[in-house]
Amino acid sequence: MSATAALMVAAEGGIIGDGRTGANLALGVGLLGLAVGRLALARAGGRISIANARTGGRSAIAVGLTGTALAVLHLATSSGGPGTGNGLVGAIVAVPLGLGAVLLGRRALARSRGGDRPPVDRMGV
């Protein structure tokens, strides 16, 4: 099974459970993207030193786009409306989560380009 076919089956809820499986998967991926983006942004700001901010920013963008794609795919393939048990509301919530991860990743990438900024005077003089 190709990766695209696996994503479609997961978004439709065909792997396990009911129609909410695809929405839950998209929500989880979106939340993971937000966490990675937040860590990358903290690293770019110099608050923590656990990893490379550029790698974290790129990862947040990739995970956020994946979560958004899963949510949109679930929205496109789900039948019924909100409250029918097919995970439509969860997919609607997952779209801004994924887009938020993309924005955090982009911001981390922008902040990690240290050569473009003038030096910061931390002494206040």
Side-chain angles (χ1 to χ4, degrees):
M1 180 183 303
S2 70
T4 306
L7 286 176
M8 287 188 68
V9 170
E12 292 172 358
I15 293 177
I16 57 171
D18 53 5
R20 292 186 204 102
T21 305
N24 288 336
L25 180 66
L27 281 168
V29 171
L31 286 173
L32 178 67
L34 281 176
V36 170
R38 182 69 180 134
L39 286 173
L41 193 57
R43 174 63 184 121
R47 293 187 296 270
I48 60 173
S49 61
I50 59 170
N52 186 354
R54 296 192 57 77
T55 303
R58 288 184 190 122
S59 299
I61 290 171
V63 172
L65 286 175
T66 303
T68 303
L70 283 171
V72 168
L73 187 62
H74 185 78
L75 286 171
T77 59
S78 63
S79 60
T84 59
N86 60 3
L88 189 66
V89 175
I92 290 171
V93 171
V95 171
L97 287 179
L99 293 177
V102 170
L103 291 177
L104 282 176
R106 285 184 49 139
R107 191 168 179 189
L109 284 175
R111 282 192 179 181
S112 67
R113 291 188 199 125
D116 296 344
R117 299 182 302 201
V120 177
D121 182 18
R122 299 207 185 258
M123 300 301 287
V125 179

